[in-house]
Amino acid sequence: MDIGLLRIRRNGQWLMVALMGGFARISNNEITILGNDAKISTDIDPQEAKQTLEIAEANLSRAEGKRQEIESNLDLRRARTRVEAVNVISY
């Protein structure tokens, strides 16, 4: 699985999760997800997420070399996903 948002239903309530990649297995109409990292949107501090996004954007603009650019892009994607998780309205 890629870095992105995941909507899950727990106890009849929909929750937004910021998923930082991983693996999924589907068997008998059930899905099992082994994520590298994940945060439920309600556990994310919006101000901290915004600051982390700003830092990641600045780091990408200063990246030197391919390796730094790749790492900075990953950091930016993770930061954007956390901000999006906080800003998306859950159903």
Side-chain angles (χ1 to χ4, degrees):
M1 299 185 69
D2 202 0
I3 297 170
L5 298 178
L6 177 66
R7 187 171 292 152
I8 61 170
R9 188 172 175 173
R10 185 171 72 183
N11 300 327
Q13 192 174 18
W14 288 100
L15 302 171
M16 189 62 62
V17 177
L19 181 66
M20 301 302 148
F23 299 92
R25 177 178 168 237
I26 302 171
S27 178
N28 297 327
N29 230 12
E30 290 186 3
I31 186 167
T32 303
I33 298 172
L34 178 61
N36 296 333
D37 187 24
K39 279 269 198 212
I40 296 174
S41 62
T42 55
D43 292 342
I44 299 171
D45 178 344
Q47 287 299 94
E48 183 181 334
K50 185 179 176 187
Q51 288 174 342
T52 301
L53 176 60
E54 291 169 358
I55 291 167
E57 290 171 337
N59 287 343
L60 178 60
S61 69
R62 291 190 305 262
E64 294 181 12
K66 195 67 172 169
R67 181 180 176 144
Q68 258 190 356
E69 187 177 325
I70 290 169
E71 289 173 356
S72 294
N73 265 312
L74 282 172
D75 288 342
L76 181 61
R77 289 180 61 207
R78 289 182 192 107
R80 277 189 185 144
T81 299
R82 286 187 181 97
V83 169
E84 289 172 6
V86 170
N87 291 329
V88 171
I89 298 171
S90 297
Y91 295 88

